[in-house]
Amino acid sequence: MNERSRLAPWLAVALGAGVLAYFALPGEPPAAVIWVAPPMVLLAVWLGLRRPMAGWALGLAAAGLAGFASATWHAGRQAPALDVPRTATIVTGRVLTVELLAEGRRVTLAEARFDGGAMEERTIRIRLKRQDAAAPAPGDRLRVRALLRAPVGPSVPGGFDFQRASWFSGLGASGYALGPAEVSPGLAPPPAFAALRADIEARVAAAVPGAAGAVASALLTGGQTAIAPDDLAAMRDSGLAHLLSVSGLHIAIVMGITFTGLRWMLALLPWAALRLPVKALAALLALGAGGFYLLLSGSQVPMQRSVAMAVLTTAALLAGRRALTLRGLAMAAAAVLLLQPAAILGASFQMSFAAVLALIAGWEWLRPHVPVAGTGADWRRRLLLAGFGLVMTSILAGAATTPFGLHHFGRLQVYGVLANAIAVPVTTMLVMPAGMVAALLMPLGLERLALVPMGWGVEAILAIAHWVAGWPGAAMSAVPIPGWGLGLCTFGLIWLCLWRTGWRLFGLPFLLVGLASASLDRRPDLLVSGDGRLIGVHAGATLFTQRLSGASAMTRENWQRLYAVTETEALPREGALAQGSVQCTAGACRISLGDTIPAAVVLRGDSPREGCASAAVVVSAEPIRGPCLAQVVDRFAVWRDGPHAIWLRPDGVRVVSDRAFRGDRPWVPPVPLPRGMASAAPPAAVE
């Protein structure tokens, strides 16, 4: 079969590669690159009209440059980082959103001011006190005394970069209130969808209290903050977490019900059925319902992809063409990347597009081999084919998203196919239809009639999730595959899905090597957190930690995920661990992984003199003063350059700091300066 029709989607792949190239840089590229991309794209279009293959080849380079330029432009247009006060401050601002948490309300403020100073361009997120009686709504003005901090960096070099995510989302600081909040009505009208979202959440909570209400709110408005941690864990471990994230499944249900219902209603009216294009009109109104749902649920990346696909599907339906195609998916991906290039780094974008890519390509391959249920087929045949389709959908989507789940979360959901086979029909036939009816009844105040049945369906889904998550081995921890392994998996999946002929199988070796990359990638032997309060030593199959007061529990959990361990062991006061590779005394622990491998010393009270003379690297939660022949990772080093990772290898010691890994990027804070000092250089040696 001719493969030339499959060339166009590779332009979207090149666009994404260009975006990734930008984020892989150690520093910012010159702004002039933004102006080079448009003429190159035009040149590729001009050449493609005359010599299609040459134009496509040039188009790959032009698309890559366009993705690079788009990411550069979006990064450069963001508001500057905030100078967050180091002490408690009075924060005033306009309420954008209100989220319900177990610990109390959390508000996001725009037009914020610190102690009556200048208006800040970035948003501020503050968790109000649990007992605070204030009930702010979107659009209100809020004043509260709070303790804030800037977005935190990765917990390990190469880990999830919340500072980068905050840079592109516009978040400037977050914190918690120290006193009651003062709320006053705002002068400007509240954001339309934020106010509507808050009203829907309040109505759902009133009609469906408890865990079911929190999940029902998430399905209608996209906010998951009110869901209890144990319910989130059960949904995740059972493979049903995707049901909580408003995505393609939900919008397909909304648009499908809208389309079918409107077409049926119009067909019942003889005047409309004879004079109006019923199918086209129903399709356009269903698209409008999908767009409304997108705005109501917060315009998350899976929804953006789904709405972009819905637009193309509607256009194809009106033109009498096939609705779901790889070209349509590629156009949707390109639209998201041009509008939000940083989305490509997130699990949501990656898993959403990977699942749909596998479903479209898999259906293309399966369609000639699957019998069709004709109009005269009995119910048993129809039920069998529907069950086969549901199982194959779960298998294809689950297999396509497995590498991304391993990279981001380090977990495998073993029984996800079975759980989805039970829970997805409940979502499709009861939960989402009832939610749509509830939304239509809200203006009349009758939403409870539909919300209560919706709550029954949600309770059934939660019961399925807890049931499946409780099975032996339901969710297994696995060593996360590294970034280069995920890149191989992604390329292999794309190659396998975009081509039709036998050479598509050349993608399988890339997939296999990518999945095996975790066993080929050596993890650090020592880790030091950004505040020095947590030091990790990986020896054998165990992660040993030294924890000081105030050490971050989240950092420890991220380290456990990195090493695929469920628990850590404390470094003992004295004794030998891991077959003698870790020797601890009251004042220090010595790590020696072999006779030919350099040793490391973790100080905890001893003088650094002996460690500096006998080890290749010395780690300390306190500053090390004086000359040291070994590499030093102490309190001052992590304060200046963030968390450190250390590898002990026969060819020497490798020490990588977070600052060295990320480079000089707009979202990476500058080297901090000690008070009263003009330089961040280490303190002078004390003889």
Side-chain angles (χ1 to χ4, degrees):
M1 188 178 293
N2 189 357
E3 294 279 35
R4 294 187 65 174
S5 62
R6 315 290 278 203
L7 296 178
W10 284 99
L11 297 175
V13 177
L15 183 72
V19 174
L20 290 174
Y22 166 80
F23 287 108
L25 291 177
E28 286 304 290
V33 71
I34 299 173
W35 305 107
V36 177
M40 191 168 179
V41 171
L42 293 176
L43 178 61
V45 173
W46 176 84
L47 183 60
L49 295 175
R50 289 156 177 79
R51 296 181 178 273
M53 290 305 297
W56 176 77
L58 182 61
L60 290 177
L65 184 59
F68 189 90
S70 173
T72 304
W73 182 77
H74 278 279
R77 64 187 290 266
Q78 302 300 321
L82 298 187
D83 183 12
V84 181
R86 297 186 179 184
T87 58
T89 184
I90 301 297
V91 183
T92 59
R94 178 171 59 89
V95 178
L96 277 182
T97 62
V98 180
E99 300 168 285
L100 300 178
L101 305 178
E103 303 84 2
R105 290 181 174 87
R106 185 172 69 183
V107 297
T108 301
L109 303 179
E111 303 170 6
R113 300 175 187 269
F114 300 143
D115 287 326
M119 182 184 300
E120 303 291 349
E121 297 182 62
R122 289 185 166 268
T123 57
I124 308 294
R125 187 178 294 161
I126 300 175
R127 188 182 74 241
L128 303 183
K129 296 179 74 67
R130 183 196 295 266
Q131 65 272 21
D132 196 337
D140 288 344
R141 303 293 301 182
L142 184 139
R143 182 179 185 272
V144 66
R145 185 170 180 265
L147 189 63
L148 303 175
R149 67 174 180 176
V152 297
S155 59
V156 62
F160 175 73
D161 194 342
F162 185 67
Q163 287 175 336
R164 181 181 60 207
S166 300
W167 178 262
F168 286 94
S169 69
L171 179 66
S174 58
Y176 55 91
L178 299 175
E182 301 175 13
V183 180
S184 59
L187 298 178
F193 285 94
L196 179 60
R197 196 177 300 123
D199 181 57
I200 291 176
E201 290 175 347
R203 290 175 182 243
V204 172
V208 187
V215 174
S217 292
L219 295 176
L220 292 176
T221 66
Q224 301 182 20
T225 54
I227 302 177
D230 60 330
D231 291 327
L232 283 173
M235 295 291 286
R236 178 198 63 207
D237 293 344
S238 62
L240 298 178
H242 67 97
L243 296 181
L244 299 177
S245 176
V246 178
S247 59
L249 171 67
H250 306 81
I251 198 170
I253 296 172
V254 169
M255 292 187 61
I257 293 176
T258 303
F259 175 79
T260 303
L262 289 174
R263 191 178 182 188
W264 179 74
M265 290 173 59
L266 291 173
L268 290 178
L269 302 174
W271 182 89
L274 294 174
R275 292 173 175 81
L276 298 177
V278 172
K279 183 177 181 181
L281 186 60
L284 291 174
L285 292 175
L287 182 61
F292 180 84
Y293 192 28
L294 167 73
L295 297 174
L296 178 63
S297 59
S299 301
Q300 302 172 28
V301 170
M303 283 291 285
Q304 294 176 16
R305 187 265 307 161
S306 301
V307 170
M309 288 290 294
V311 171
L312 297 172
T313 300
T314 303
L317 187 148
L318 296 178
R321 304 281 297 274
R322 281 184 56 198
L324 293 176
T325 65
L326 292 175
R327 284 192 177 189
L329 180 65
M331 293 175 67
V336 174
L337 288 174
L338 290 174
L339 292 174
Q340 291 185 330
I344 195 173
L345 301 172
S348 179
F349 177 95
Q350 296 169 7
M351 300 180 78
S352 174
F353 278 96
V356 178
L357 173 65
L359 290 175
I360 295 177
W363 173 241
E364 284 186 348
W365 183 78
L366 282 172
R367 185 171 52 181
H369 310 287
V370 177
V372 178
T375 55
D378 62 8
W379 65 270
R380 289 181 293 269
R381 181 181 178 86
R382 291 179 178 274
L383 184 62
L384 182 63
L385 288 175
F388 174 78
L390 185 62
V391 170
M392 287 306 302
T393 296
S394 297
I395 292 175
L396 287 172
T401 56
T402 292
F404 304 96
L406 284 174
H407 173 74
H408 292 283
F409 312 116
R411 295 182 72 83
L412 285 172
Q413 289 79 31
V414 178
Y415 307 115
V417 172
L418 179 59
N420 278 277
I422 305 173
V424 169
V426 177
T427 304
T428 304
M429 294 185 229
L430 174 59
V431 173
M432 291 304 297
M436 292 181 62
V437 174
L440 294 175
L441 293 177
M442 282 183 184
L444 305 176
L446 302 175
E447 66 277 358
R448 185 179 179 84
L449 297 176
L451 285 176
V452 171
M454 183 183 185
W456 297 339
V458 171
E459 288 175 353
I461 293 173
L462 288 173
I464 294 168
H466 284 278
W467 178 50
V468 174
W471 293 356
M476 297 187 299
S477 296
V479 177
I481 62 177
W484 64 268
L486 183 65
L488 290 178
C489 286
T490 303
F491 180 79
L493 177 66
I494 292 173
W495 187 276
L496 185 65
C497 292
L498 288 192
W499 300 122
R500 285 194 181 102
T501 55
W503 72 340
R504 70 194 307 176
L505 298 179
F506 285 110
L508 290 178
F510 292 93
L511 275 168
L512 295 176
V513 174
L515 289 172
S517 61
S519 61
L520 305 175
D521 188 71
R522 184 179 172 187
R523 289 155 289 165
D525 298 301
L526 288 92
L527 291 173
V528 187
S529 66
D531 56 6
R533 299 178 185 271
L534 189 65
I535 297 174
V537 177
H538 185 242
T542 306
L543 178 62
F544 303 97
T545 59
Q546 174 182 292
R547 299 181 62 192
L548 301 182
S549 176
S552 169
M554 181 177 294
T555 297
R556 178 174 53 84
E557 292 170 1
N558 289 335
W559 288 6
Q560 291 176 200
R561 188 178 300 115
L562 175 65
Y563 293 101
V565 297
T566 56
E567 298 291 340
T568 63
E569 292 187 21
L571 287 172
R573 182 173 178 81
E574 292 185 358
L577 304 170
Q579 298 179 343
S581 60
V582 181
Q583 298 278 349
C584 289
T585 64
C589 284
R590 183 178 180 85
I591 297 93
S592 180
L593 303 180
D595 295 337
T596 62
I597 299 176
V601 169
V602 177
L603 294 178
R604 45 187 187 178
D606 275 1
S607 169
R609 184 175 306 168
E610 182 179 346
C612 289
S614 62
V617 60
V618 177
V619 177
S620 174
E622 301 296 331
I624 295 179
R625 302 180 183 276
C628 186
L629 298 177
Q631 294 193 58
V632 173
V633 180
D634 62 355
R635 178 69 184 87
F636 191 85
V638 296
W639 173 77
R640 184 180 63 243
D641 296 325
H644 282 58
I646 303 169
W647 288 262
L648 305 176
R649 306 181 299 190
D651 58 345
V653 174
R654 182 186 176 213
V655 179
V656 176
S657 70
D658 174 65
R659 184 173 300 280
F661 188 92
R662 292 197 290 170
D664 184 15
R665 308 311 301 269
W667 50 86
V668 179
V671 177
L673 297 177
R675 293 182 181 180
M677 294 182 62
S679 170
V686 177
E687 299 295 339

